[in-house]
Amino acid sequence: MRLTLRTLLAYLDEILPEKDAKAIRQKLETSERASGLVHRIRSATRKLRLSAPPIDGRGMGGDANTVAEYLDNTLAADRITDFERVCLESDVQLAEAATCHQIVWLVLTKPAEVAPEVRERIYALGKAESAGGGAAANAPAAATAVKVRAEIPDYLRHRPWNWKAAAMVVALTLLLVVAGLRALGPFTSDHPVIGGLFSEAVSTASNGESDKETNDDETDPILGKTKDNAENGAETIEPAITKPEPNITEPKPTEPTTTEPMPTEPTTTEPMPTEPTTTEPMPTEPTITEPKPTEPKPIEPSATEIGRYLASARPQFLGHQSDETGDWTRLGPRTVLQTGSRLLTLPTYRPQVALTTGVQMTMVGPAEVTVNRNFGTSTLQIKYGRFLLDTAGIAGAKIELEFGSRRGTATFANPEATLAVKVAHRLVPSADPLTGSRTEVISLHTTSGTINWIESKDAAPIVIEAGTVLMFQGSGIGSLESVEQPIAWVDGQNLREIDLRASRELEPLLDTERPIHLALMEQADARQVEVSALAIRSLSVLGFFDQAVSAFNEQRQHSYWRYHVATLVERVAYSPESAREVRAALGRLREQDATVMYRSLCGYTPQQLNDGGAAKLVDMLESDSMDMRVLGLETLRSITGKTHLYRPEKKPIQQKKPLQDWHTNLLNGEIHFPE
């Protein structure tokens, strides 16, 4: 029986005949890939947080009708392969097909369970309806219907609102609120939460008392006499008209009102309080000088602050190297970055950093940079990787870029200017990676707007318009070239959906409490191969190469062998130290063939290929070791762009035709770099 996804689902649901099930079981025992698919199906259907395809989805995997036709074996033969490929590439589609198959099998094979009392009631309804007509015949049906309605389950019945319970809940809530407020402090104006209410009440009461006192002592605005004088019957109408004179000419009637001038005398002596107000500048001086002690405190961190790690809706990663241990740890979003911070991001991630000078940096992993400041201008010491630089809508913003011995300043001529920077390393031809020098390949590509690049004060700026790229190799003179097609990595078009899914799965597993290489080592053996491959590539970026070397002998990593080899080639070309670490990892795990495998990672010149390098690479395809065949094929692919359908996971004896094609290319001298 042929092993397909549909037959595998039928086998898992145990609906195949015993003979067919036995045949499938034997194939699973002999095929590691098929057994791995079984484990993947079972794990995907048990994931609680796995999403489901949209109901109104379109396309091969999103259309529900396509899934139904496939399970019903009515899907067109030319579409079956495409549908199965979609399922194998996506856990969501695979889980959807598996669970739908299981549900359909349950509905078709297992009868619905009906309680005996429900069955009897339904039978009774039928008998009542088939009885004679008339009111007498309808009466039993009505009675039966009443009985049916009376037996509604309790959880479906309408329950009246329990006001007593609601009142108790409200009272208990108020009691808890009051107790909580009282626990914070006494109910005075000093209360941290409701102190303002008491202060307003106190001020209102004090204002009322003062108004009452003044009203008791003030003169009647109509009669011009005080309350005391009104009681004595003494009229003071004239003094009310000439108020200053009664204070001098009639002291007797004013004696009872001597208390009245007392409050007025302070008004005459209000300059006395104003004299202290002349000294009030002294208490106000501390208020003026208060910023002086507080200003230096933020100035010191601001002098070293270089930017801030921005939060993002999509999963991101930004690492920082410790000066004490040298380990890389993860930074949390919105972390303030200091001058001299050494930052790193892993493959597939794109963290963003807002610099204090008005420039925003997006790191496209893998990438490493050290951020500094030079006389108010941000400086990026780029080690390797790809970067996107733009402004916050500010024309004239500047940023200094350092690439080894080369240094220059990029000026954003207009607000919409965007600069894409890529820095790679290349071994000098025929140089020993362990001791030889490297050449930095630098590209400055303006995706929009205009960038002015200048390397010295005396030199004229190089204008990089949109759609052009300025190329440097080592310390040589740069050259401007036009770019006809947009660069894929600028907007993330180079990432596959499975890579994005792996980054989402891996990101929450990288905490900020411990070095990230420890978490990556744990995930190198993850059940999901895409997560495992991303963890292995990330470890290679950090300088841990044992997992990558071991992956060349894991058949489940066959889709990611190309990326593992490319990462090792980049690390060998990066520095003598990293090349030495790669050589040591090969020696630990593949001592016998370490020299040949390491040589394939160092690259070849056209002359070296003609002098026997191409023949050694073809010989690696016939090796009994899978890792040798992997490195041989990937090196030949990088040189010629061909594979001849050769598959390293298969034994050489099973690939006579691809091997014959490679030998033909070798004899005809066709193994060379494209011209």
Side-chain angles (χ1 to χ4, degrees):
M1 185 176 186
R2 186 186 175 195
L3 181 59
T4 63
L5 179 60
R6 188 189 296 107
T7 56
L8 188 58
L9 295 177
Y11 170 78
L12 294 177
D13 292 335
E14 299 180 355
I15 61 176
L16 291 178
E18 181 61 27
K19 181 179 179 181
D20 295 337
K22 184 177 180 180
I24 296 296
R25 193 179 302 112
Q26 291 177 352
K27 292 182 179 181
L28 293 177
E29 293 175 354
T30 57
S31 174
E32 183 179 355
R33 184 176 182 182
S35 59
L37 181 58
V38 170
H39 292 297
R40 184 181 168 194
I41 293 173
R42 290 174 176 172
S43 62
T45 54
R46 295 171 184 172
K47 282 186 179 179
L48 298 179
R49 294 184 297 174
L50 189 66
S51 60
I55 299 177
D56 56 348
R58 295 291 184 269
M60 182 60 68
D63 189 1
N65 293 326
T66 305
V67 180
E69 292 175 1
Y70 177 78
L71 297 179
D72 199 29
N73 202 13
T74 58
L75 187 65
D78 57 342
R79 303 180 63 194
I80 292 178
T81 304
D82 295 335
F83 178 81
E84 292 181 344
R85 183 184 296 108
V86 171
C87 293
L88 295 178
E89 292 179 353
S90 172
D91 284 349
V92 174
Q93 303 297 339
L94 184 62
E96 179 77 5
T99 51
C100 289
H101 188 279
Q102 186 177 15
I103 292 172
V104 171
W105 169 71
L106 290 174
V107 171
L108 295 179
T109 57
K110 291 188 177 182
E113 297 181 359
V114 182
E117 56 271 17
V118 176
R119 184 182 290 105
E120 293 298 329
R121 273 204 309 271
I122 295 175
Y123 289 161
L125 289 175
K127 293 178 181 179
E129 291 178 358
S130 61
N138 293 333
T144 305
V146 171
K147 289 183 180 180
V148 173
R149 287 195 296 270
E151 295 182 8
I152 297 176
D154 292 339
Y155 63 89
L156 293 178
R157 294 177 182 177
H158 175 71
R159 296 182 181 180
W161 181 260
N162 193 342
W163 295 103
K164 293 183 179 180
M168 293 179 62
V169 171
V170 173
L172 182 60
T173 303
L174 292 176
L175 182 61
L176 292 176
V177 171
V178 173
L181 293 175
R182 183 62 182 84
L184 296 176
F187 294 145
T188 63
S189 59
D190 297 331
H191 197 279
V193 178
I194 60 175
L197 299 177
F198 294 99
S199 61
E200 292 178 1
V202 171
S203 62
T204 304
S206 61
N207 293 335
E209 292 177 359
S210 61
D211 293 341
K212 183 178 180 181
E213 291 176 359
T214 56
N215 292 333
D216 291 341
D217 295 336
E218 67 184 2
T219 59
D220 193 331
I222 301 177
L223 299 178
K225 58 184 179 180
T226 62
K227 286 187 177 182
D228 295 338
N229 293 335
E231 292 175 358
N232 296 331
E235 295 184 0
T236 56
I237 298 175
E238 293 180 0
I241 300 173
T242 59
K243 192 170 185 179
E245 295 179 358
N247 293 333
I248 302 172
T249 59
E250 295 183 8
K252 291 180 180 180
T254 57
E255 283 178 0
T257 61
T258 53
T259 57
E260 203 173 15
M262 292 299 291
T264 57
E265 283 176 3
T267 59
T268 58
T269 58
E270 279 180 1
M272 297 293 293
T274 57
E275 290 177 359
T277 57
T278 58
T279 60
E280 282 183 3
M282 296 189 66
T284 57
E285 284 177 346
T287 59
I288 298 173
T289 56
E290 278 179 1
K292 292 182 179 178
T294 56
E295 281 178 1
K297 293 180 181 178
I299 284 176
E300 291 182 359
S302 65
T304 59
E305 180 180 338
I306 192 66
R308 184 182 294 270
Y309 173 30
L310 301 179
S312 176
R314 59 181 294 181
Q316 298 297 353
F317 173 86
L318 183 64
H320 174 265
Q321 189 176 38
S322 172
D323 295 333
E324 299 177 357
T325 63
D327 293 330
W328 291 94
T329 56
R330 183 179 182 180
L331 293 176
R334 292 179 289 275
T335 299
V336 176
L337 305 177
Q338 305 297 327
T339 300
S341 298
R342 190 175 180 182
L343 307 177
L344 173 141
T345 188
L346 301 177
T348 72
Y349 293 104
R350 299 168 65 95
Q352 294 181 338
V353 174
L355 302 175
T356 56
T357 53
V359 178
Q360 182 167 304
M361 172 183 67
T362 301
M363 302 176 63
V364 182
E368 181 181 340
V369 65
T370 301
V371 290
N372 282 304
R373 178 181 294 167
N374 184 22
F375 297 104
T377 303
S378 300
T379 301
L380 302 181
Q381 298 175 347
I382 298 179
K383 308 299 181 181
Y384 62 88
R386 297 163 294 181
F387 302 81
L388 282 177
L389 305 175
D390 54 14
T391 68
I394 303 174
K398 297 182 179 181
I399 188 168
E400 290 187 357
L401 303 178
E402 291 186 13
F403 321 100
S405 59
R406 183 179 293 275
R407 181 171 185 166
T409 301
T411 303
F412 296 83
N414 33 44
E416 67 274 11
T418 302
L419 179 63
V421 182
K422 181 179 179 181
V423 179
H425 296 81
R426 184 179 300 169
L427 281 170
V428 175
S430 303
D432 184 4
L434 301 179
T435 58
S437 59
R438 272 79 174 161
T439 300
E440 292 177 333
V441 181
I442 306 163
S443 64
L444 306 178
H445 175 224
T446 302
T447 60
S448 62
T450 302
I451 300 292
N452 296 326
W453 174 259
I454 185 170
E455 296 190 6
S456 63
K457 296 181 179 180
D458 301 333
I462 301 176
V463 180
I464 312 175
E465 299 288 349
T468 58
V469 59
L470 179 61
M471 299 290 298
F472 296 101
Q473 288 196 13
S475 58
I477 301 175
S479 60
L480 278 174
E481 302 176 5
S482 60
V483 180
E484 297 180 356
Q485 296 181 351
I487 302 176
W489 63 265
V490 170
D491 52 4
Q493 295 297 326
N494 60 323
L495 293 177
R496 303 177 300 173
E497 178 61 31
I498 194 171
D499 296 329
L500 296 175
R501 183 167 65 248
S503 64
R504 290 192 295 266
E505 294 287 340
L506 182 62
E507 182 266 339
L509 304 176
L510 305 176
D511 53 56
T512 59
E513 302 298 329
R514 57 174 181 165
I516 58 176
H517 71 270
L518 299 178
L520 291 174
M521 287 181 178
E522 296 172 356
Q523 298 305 316
D525 297 325
R527 175 183 49 80
Q528 294 175 278
V529 64
E530 61 269 20
V531 177
S532 172
L534 180 56
I536 292 173
R537 292 175 59 193
S538 301
L539 285 170
S540 298
V541 172
L542 297 177
F544 299 89
F545 305 108
D546 289 5
Q547 289 75 13
V549 175
S550 300
F552 296 143
N553 281 317
E554 297 182 21
Q555 186 173 349
R556 71 168 191 153
Q557 294 281 344
H558 73 278
S559 298
Y560 300 92
W561 282 334
R562 181 191 311 181
Y563 304 101
H564 297 326
V565 173
T567 303
L568 291 182
V569 170
E570 292 175 357
R571 302 313 296 176
V572 169
Y574 175 61
S575 68
E577 292 77 14
S578 59
R580 195 173 296 110
E581 291 295 332
V582 173
R583 179 65 177 82
L586 290 170
R588 286 191 299 268
L589 301 177
R590 297 287 284 112
E591 182 178 0
Q592 183 177 359
D593 300 320
T595 302
V596 179
M597 297 173 68
Y598 176 73
R599 179 64 189 88
S600 66
L601 297 173
C602 297
Y604 293 86
T605 64
Q607 185 61 38
Q608 290 172 344
L609 290 175
N610 294 332
D611 293 342
K616 291 181 179 180
L617 292 175
V618 174
D619 291 340
M620 293 177 68
L621 301 179
E622 299 180 298
S623 173
D624 294 333
S625 301
M626 185 187 299
D627 51 5
M628 288 276 287
R629 300 195 297 268
V630 170
L631 287 176
L633 176 66
E634 296 305 331
T635 306
L636 289 170
R637 187 209 298 264
S638 64
I639 296 172
T640 64
K642 303 176 183 178
T643 63
H644 293 304
L645 300 180
Y646 180 86
R647 300 178 61 181
E649 64 270 22
K650 290 186 177 182
K651 297 291 185 180
I653 195 174
Q654 300 174 334
Q655 305 187 81
K656 295 182 179 180
K657 180 63 170 62
L659 286 174
Q660 182 179 357
D661 293 339
W662 278 115
H663 281 287
T664 302
N665 290 153
L666 179 63
L667 293 175
N668 296 334
E670 297 175 353
I671 299 179
H672 54 74
F673 294 97
E675 298 178 357

